[in-house]
Amino acid sequence: MKKLLIIGAGAAGMMAAIKAPAGYQVTILEKNEKAGKKLFITGKGRCNVTNDSDSDNFMRHTVSNPKFLFTAISAYDQHALMDDLSKWGLKLKTERGDRVFPLSDHSSDVIRTLETQVKKRNGKIIYGENVSELLYESFQSDNPKDKYQWKANGVRTKSGKTYMADTIIFATGGLSYPQTGSTGDGHRILQKIGVSSTEMLPALCALETAGPDAPSMMGLAMKNVSGSLIVRKNPDWKIKKDKVIYQELGEMLFTHFGISGPIVLSASSYLANIMRKHGVRRVEKGFVTFSLDLKPALTEEKLDLRLQRDFEKYQNREFQNALSDLLPRMMIPVVVKRSGIEAEKKVNQITHEERKNLLSLLKNLEFDIVGMRDFPEAIITSGGIDVKEINPSTMELKKIKNVKCVGELIDCDALTGGYNLQIAWATSCLASSTLDD
């Protein structure tokens, strides 16, 4: 019987074990004391397992290398996953945005389901084994189509043990949430033998802003606002003109360091992607702006009429006390300060030009972005094993025979909503289903 060795007992690793052909003896090496540590905290502990939408929608929500994933997603899409999970006894539900969760709202039920299937497959998980080295030898073949340089045959762990195998699947994750064990082990091991990784940055993370305005609104949650992430013209990034790289309607949150929430997290992934493209690791002040349209449902003309009605209603009040119908209480001091209108000025004394400036501010409240929160707070990693190193039809490395890479380890990432977990399920299923029987 052939031996399959899987490094990492997360979502991708356990799925790879479950989907392995019957002719393989499956062993998972997991450095933690239990399986699925990152899966446990996914979706705030509820585990958004996938997104119940079509493949075109999935590709639109994939930020890095969507074309590379075409074969994997086609072979094992969202509906195939949902059918499997249901067949394995996990009850599911679909919520807003086609997000799919376990009916219980407990990520532990997802982990338990996977562990049960691994056991039914007669797979074995060995805990506390941290792989430090890939064992391999020079590859020689009579087939001229074989382009491999090396052939892997096992791994060595930090404890000094050796595990031999016919095929090895690396499912070690990226760099996000390192407290769960995602500390870049797979990248380091494979880089030692010449497998290249792209630049890695935190993604789906909060953004840090310049100045005191955002922190002064800490805790304020905004709904139905439109956010735009703008990269400004600058020679360092070789950006020739201002460019909107992301725009979305949704929810956001002000924090003690800047901004967060769904539309901000998504924006951060596009920012990480363009930073990697231009070889940039830090965000300098003045290079990136997050712009908020506080009233996206209203055109400037309709919003101006709304302002005029409010100003008529509160014509004898001071300006700072005339915005309570329009803005959240915590935001009013910021808007008043930025408007250039004196806080104590009577509303009936506000000029037409001042009202127009206020109107522009409400449709374009800007925050300078000066940083991204680091990996311990990032949901996923942008970057990883270069997809040019991987055969997209099998997930096998092109340089090393019998080694496959799946999940967050590779340079593919998507927005929130279950898409990243679907990448893990699909790539690991493809890796196992294309093993020789």
Side-chain angles (χ1 to χ4, degrees), residues 360-409:
S360 296
L361 183 63
L362 296 174
K363 298 293 284 183
N364 184 30
L365 186 65
E366 294 187 344
F367 297 89
D368 280 332
I369 304 302
V370 293
M372 305 169 69
R373 301 302 277 181
D374 211 346
F375 285 112
E377 298 177 36
I379 295 175
I380 55 143
T381 305
S382 178
I385 299 296
D386 195 327
V387 296
K388 294 177 182 177
E389 299 271 8
I390 303 171
N391 182 339
S393 298
T394 63
M395 305 309 297
E396 186 173 33
L397 288 172
K398 295 176 180 178
K399 293 178 181 176
I400 310 172
K401 186 175 176 60
N402 300 334
V403 176
K404 301 192 176 194
C405 296
V406 297
E408 196 180 338
L409 176 66

Side-chain angles (χ1 to χ4, degrees), residues 60-350:
R60 286 196 299 272
H61 284 79
T62 302
V63 179
S64 302
N65 300 309
K67 291 181 180 179
F68 173 83
L69 293 170
F70 182 80
T71 300
I73 297 300
S74 298
Y76 194 68
D77 65 11
Q78 302 89 312
H79 304 112
L81 169 75
M82 293 168 66
D83 288 345
D84 272 346
L85 292 176
S86 298
K87 181 177 65 179
W88 297 338
L90 183 69
K91 295 181 179 180
L92 303 171
K93 62 179 178 179
T94 302
E95 297 185 357
R96 179 174 57 86
D98 295 322
R99 289 169 163 83
V100 180
F101 294 88
L103 184 62
S104 65
D105 281 332
H106 293 148
S107 57
S108 56
D109 288 339
V110 179
I111 298 169
R112 191 176 302 112
T113 298
L114 296 172
E115 287 178 316
T116 298
Q117 293 306 309
V118 172
K119 289 177 182 178
K120 286 185 176 180
R121 168 65 186 73
N122 293 320
K124 180 170 62 173
I125 304 178
I126 301 177
Y127 297 103
E129 282 287 34
N130 193 351
V131 174
S132 60
E133 184 181 358
L134 180 69
L135 304 178
Y136 60 95
E137 58 190 11
S138 179
F139 179 76
Q140 293 181 344
S141 173
D142 295 330
N143 187 347
K145 292 183 179 180
D146 285 332
K147 303 296 183 182
Y148 303 106
Q149 298 175 10
W150 313 100
K151 177 183 178 180
N153 51 29
V155 300
R156 184 173 289 114
T157 66
K158 289 186 177 179
S159 66
K161 292 182 180 179
T162 297
Y163 295 85
M164 306 306 291
D166 295 286
T167 300
I168 302 162
I169 296 178
F170 277 83
T172 52
L175 298 175
S176 61
Y177 293 140
Q179 64 271 26
T180 66
S182 297
T183 53
D185 297 341
H187 303 106
R188 286 191 293 272
I189 292 167
L190 295 173
Q191 283 171 0
K192 288 179 182 178
I193 52 174
V195 178
S196 62
S197 293
T198 60
E199 187 72 50
M200 287 176 278
L201 293 174
L204 292 182
C205 59
L207 298 175
E208 298 172 353
T209 59
D213 286 353
S216 74
M217 297 183 281
M218 180 178 66
L220 175 61
M222 304 291 290
K223 294 183 177 181
N224 299 317
V225 293
S226 178
S228 301
L229 194 70
I230 306 162
V231 177
R232 299 298 184 187
K233 174 183 177 180
N234 69 83
D236 291 355
W237 290 24
K238 298 178 182 178
I239 303 291
K240 295 182 179 180
K241 61 180 180 179
D242 291 359
K243 182 179 181 181
V244 177
I245 62 170
Y246 172 81
Q247 186 174 43
E248 188 62 78
L249 177 72
E251 302 175 7
M252 66 158 295
L253 174 72
F254 290 98
T255 71
H256 67 285
F257 53 76
I259 53 178
S260 186
I263 61 174
V264 175
L265 298 183
S266 295
S268 74
S269 287
Y270 284 95
L271 177 57
N273 195 42
I274 198 167
M275 287 173 67
R276 293 195 300 115
K277 179 181 177 181
H278 292 283
V280 177
R281 288 198 60 85
R282 294 182 57 195
V283 183
E284 302 291 343
K285 183 178 178 181
F287 282 11
V288 181
T289 302
F290 191 82
S291 172
L292 271 180
D293 182 346
L294 299 172
K295 301 295 177 182
L298 300 178
T299 63
E300 288 197 7
E301 292 76 14
K302 289 184 178 180
L303 182 55
D304 192 26
L305 292 174
R306 167 71 188 275
L307 276 176
Q308 292 180 55
R309 289 196 299 270
D310 283 1
F311 281 10
E312 177 67 24
K313 180 179 178 180
Y314 298 119
Q315 59 182 307
N316 295 318
R317 288 189 181 183
E318 293 179 347
F319 174 53
Q320 62 186 350
N321 298 321
L323 299 174
S324 56
D325 291 354
L326 192 66
L327 298 172
R329 177 182 56 82
M330 293 178 69
M331 182 172 278
I332 290 174
V334 172
V335 170
V336 168
K337 180 182 69 173
R338 292 199 185 189
S339 72
I341 303 171
E342 294 180 7
E344 297 79 14
K345 189 171 187 175
K346 293 293 184 180
V347 170
N348 57 22
Q349 296 177 350
I350 293 176

